[in-house]
């Protein structure tokens, strides 16, 4: 039985309108299934349901719009099915164009922000340590929990929006201290330290961690002390794709893992009860190379159709690194080079002049969506190269491409040469 506050009961009774009442009914039923004894307040939400998956997704949101629904906490939106900034890039049918655009617009009518990014943590306002939130989209969830230390479960379509409409979420799972302890340790040996070219190894590690950990909270030791947020982003996105990882602890790096003991929760133990010892998985560079090889369907010298990076969306720092690499090549790309990013990052690139310089080198920006879920790429016959573990994991099934998997440095060199170029080949 869920213990409801007076406010919860008022919402159920329709005090704030039918949309909020409908959302509360969904939350209460879901909380019961999840074993939550009560609901808790949240301070923000991130909505994944603005990506069109069929008529049911549009019907649900239209019903809330028709009932006068409005979100009651700051609410950002994940990618949709259309690049509203560059609609000319869309190569799908009219039905998908119309329904996908309408779904994105309907969420705006509910009061959501027009962010349309899978990386809401790149916005100026982002969750703080310990803040209770209700986020959807797997990479956003794992970044918020792990890198920012905010607290959210893996919320999916409709649950996320219901939380936004009520400001409430089930009090269970990763919202609670006791469920944030690591239960599996990955001891990484000999991880590459040179910043250039090591981005792919974070993605490879994430894919390995996700596959082995499943839904267990992992702790990771042995990462370089200068690991960046973008590298943690790549690790988390891959782990959330190959498994159900919603939180990882990088010892000495992420905010809840100053030590391995902290990640395991030993330092928080208030009584004499023992915390079970966490098993350890040793990860060697050969293991990371094996993960890379499992995703790479290319050989050095194979002709390349295109390159796609920015899954999750590219940051300002990644765009700056891309310009540096392209400038070092001295000539523009010989194949299409897609950079998926948010409209807000693109606006900053436009104001600094970096967007124009990257376009001059052959870069095509994609906003509001991503190339592995929306028909945008001109050429998908042949090899498409990426440095994203998430893109490499999903794109073959989603859009039918063959993947060449390399670092950003390898992607740039390959794009300029028009063929697959690998550093160790």
């Amino acid at each position: 039985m869920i213990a409801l506050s007076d406010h919860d009961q008022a919402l159920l009774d329709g005090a704030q309108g039918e949309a909020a009442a409908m959302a509360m009914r969904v939350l209460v039923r879901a909380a019961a299934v999840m074993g939550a004894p009560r609901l808790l307040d949240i301070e923000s939400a991130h909505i994944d349901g603005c990506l069109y998956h069929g008529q049911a997704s549009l019907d649900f949101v239209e019903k809330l719009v028709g009932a006068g629904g409005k979100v009651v906490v700051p609410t950002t939106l994940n990618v949709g099915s259309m690049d509203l900034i560059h609609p000319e890039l869309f190569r799908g049918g009219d039905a998908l164009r119309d329904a996908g655009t309408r779904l994105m617009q309907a969420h705006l009518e509910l009061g959501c922000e027009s962010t349309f990014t899978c990386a809401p943590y790149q916005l100026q306002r982002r969750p703080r340590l310990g803040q209770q939130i209700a986020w959807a989209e797997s990479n956003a969830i794992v970044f918020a929990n792990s890198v920012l230390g905010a607290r959210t479960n893996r919320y999916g379509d409709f649950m996320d929006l219901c939380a936004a409409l009520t400001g409430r979420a089930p009090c269970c799972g990763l919202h609670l201290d006791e469920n944030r302890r690591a239960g599996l340790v990955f001891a990484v040996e000999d991880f590459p330290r040179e910043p250039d070219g090591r981005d792919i190894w974070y993605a490879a590690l994430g894919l390995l961690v996700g596959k082995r950990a499943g839904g267990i909270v992992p702790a990771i030791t042995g990462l370089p002390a200068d690991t960046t947020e973008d590298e943690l982003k790549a690790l988390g996105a891959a782990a959330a794709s190959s498994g159900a990882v919603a939180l990882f602890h990088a010892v000495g790096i992420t905010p809840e893992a100053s030590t391995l003991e902290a990640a395991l929760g030993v330092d928080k133990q208030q009584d004499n009860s023992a915390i079970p010892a966490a098993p350890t998985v040793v990860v060697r560079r050969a293991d990371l190379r094996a993960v890379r090889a499992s995703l790479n369907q290319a050989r050095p010298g194979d002709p390349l159709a295109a390159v796609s990076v920015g899954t999750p969306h590219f940051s300002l720092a990644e765009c700056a690194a891309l310009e540096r690499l392209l400038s070092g090549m001295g000539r523009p790309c010989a194949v299409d080079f897609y950079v998926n990013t948010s409209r807000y990052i693109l606006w900053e690139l436009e104001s600094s002049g970096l967007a124009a310089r990257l376009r001059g080198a052959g870069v095509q920006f994609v906003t509001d969506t991503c190339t592995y879920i929306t028909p945008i790429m001109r050429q998908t016959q042949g090899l498409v190269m990426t440095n994203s573990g998430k893109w490499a994991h999903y794109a073959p099934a989603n859009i039918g491409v063959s993947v060449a998997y390399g670092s950003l440095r390898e992607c740039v060199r390959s794009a300029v040469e028009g063929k697959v170029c690998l550093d160790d080949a």
Side-chain angles (χ1 to χ4, degrees), residues 137-218:
E137 210 290 325
S138 61
N139 107 83
I141 293 163
V142 73
F143 191 98
N145 275 317
S146 309
V147 184
L148 303 182
R151 300 188 168 202
T152 180
N153 286 321
R154 281 176 65 115
Y155 292 110
D157 291 3
F158 307 156
M159 271 283 288
D160 49 3
L161 190 53
C162 290
L165 287 164
T166 60
R168 304 283 277 168
C171 182
C172 60
L174 294 177
H175 290 289
L176 305 176
D177 285 345
E178 58 267 27
N179 297 321
R180 297 178 69 84
R181 297 168 177 161
L184 182 61
V185 177
F186 290 85
V188 181
E189 297 183 352
D190 192 29
F191 193 87
R193 303 279 161 172
E194 174 59 39
D196 277 347
R198 77 182 186 187
D199 52 320
I200 192 175
W201 303 117
Y202 284 92
L205 176 61
L207 290 168
L208 186 152
V209 167
K211 187 173 182 180
R212 294 292 296 270
I216 299 172
V217 175

Side-chain angles (χ1 to χ4, degrees), residues 37-88:
R38 60 183 178 86
L39 303 178
L40 53 75
D41 287 330
I42 58 165
E43 296 185 56
S44 74
H46 181 65
I47 309 302
D48 194 29
C50 50
L51 176 65
Y52 184 75
H53 288 300
Q55 188 61 39
S57 58
L58 184 54
D59 288 345
F60 183 82
V61 179
E62 292 281 28
K63 185 174 180 64
L64 294 173
V65 170
K70 294 291 181 182
V71 300
V72 296
V73 295
T75 302
T76 51
L77 292 173
N78 196 45
V79 296
S81 298
M82 286 292 299
D83 181 345
L84 301 180
I85 304 296
H86 312 100
E88 71 279 1

Side-chain angles (χ1 to χ4, degrees), residues 121-350:
Y121 43 81
Q122 293 174 352
L123 301 172
Q124 285 189 340
R125 184 183 70 242
R126 62 184 192 171
R128 62 185 182 274
L129 180 66
Q131 187 175 25
Q132 299 287 3
I133 61 177
W135 276 24
E137 210 290 325
S138 61
N139 107 83
I141 293 163
V142 73
F143 191 98
N145 275 317
S146 309
V147 184
L148 303 182
R151 300 188 168 202
T152 180
N153 286 321
R154 281 176 65 115
Y155 292 110
D157 291 3
F158 307 156
M159 271 283 288
D160 49 3
L161 190 53
C162 290
L165 287 164
T166 60
R168 304 283 277 168
C171 182
C172 60
L174 294 177
H175 290 289
L176 305 176
D177 285 345
E178 58 267 27
N179 297 321
R180 297 178 69 84
R181 297 168 177 161
L184 182 61
V185 177
F186 290 85
V188 181
E189 297 183 352
D190 192 29
F191 193 87
R193 303 279 161 172
E194 174 59 39
D196 277 347
R198 77 182 186 187
D199 52 320
I200 192 175
W201 303 117
Y202 284 92
L205 176 61
L207 290 168
L208 186 152
V209 167
K211 187 173 182 180
R212 294 292 296 270
I216 299 172
V217 175
I220 304 169
T221 64
L223 293 179
D226 63 346
T227 293
T228 66
E229 281 198 358
D230 284 322
E231 290 168 334
L232 294 173
K233 173 184 74 172
L235 192 164
S241 299
S242 62
V245 174
L247 164 65
F248 68 86
H249 298 294
V251 174
I253 299 171
T254 54
E256 297 176 71
S258 56
T259 64
L260 180 57
E261 289 73 22
L264 295 171
V266 175
D267 64 338
K268 296 185 178 69
Q269 194 72 352
Q270 299 297 315
D271 53 33
N272 294 322
S273 61
I275 294 178
T280 297
V281 177
V282 176
V283 181
R284 299 177 176 86
R285 194 172 298 195
D287 300 314
L288 300 180
R289 290 186 179 278
V291 173
R292 172 178 179 165
S294 71
L295 289 177
N296 191 10
Q297 299 168 281
R299 295 173 299 179
D302 284 348
L304 197 61
V307 173
S308 180
V309 298
T311 307
H313 278 168
F314 244 31
S315 68
L316 288 172
E318 287 171 310
C319 289
L322 176 59
E323 182 192 30
R324 176 175 55 82
L325 290 168
L326 284 168
S327 296
M329 296 302 299
R331 51 199 169 98
C333 299
V335 299
D336 291 335
F337 196 115
Y338 298 93
V339 172
N340 301 276
T341 192
S342 75
R343 53 176 62 185
Y344 296 96
I345 294 294
L346 181 56
W347 290 340
E348 292 197 48
L349 296 175
E350 298 281 14

Side-chain angles (χ1 to χ4, degrees), residues 335-387:
V335 299
D336 291 335
F337 196 115
Y338 298 93
V339 172
N340 301 276
T341 192
S342 75
R343 53 176 62 185
Y344 296 96
I345 294 294
L346 181 56
W347 290 340
E348 292 197 48
L349 296 175
E350 298 281 14
S351 65
S352 70
L354 181 51
R357 295 195 297 275
L358 287 173
R359 288 193 185 100
V363 168
Q364 170 66 63
F365 290 103
V366 176
T367 61
D368 297 349
T369 189
C370 188
T371 53
Y372 80 97
I373 54 176
T374 297
I376 281 177
M377 301 178 69
R378 286 195 312 139
Q379 180 59 264
T380 57
Q381 298 301 310
L383 289 165
V384 178
M385 196 166 191
T386 187
N387 71 332

Side-chain angles (χ1 to χ4, degrees), residues 403-420:
V403 172
Y405 185 42
S407 67
L408 182 60
R409 180 169 62 188
E410 291 168 327
C411 286
V412 168
R413 183 178 161 209
S414 300
V416 171
E417 296 291 340
K419 61 184 180 181
V420 175

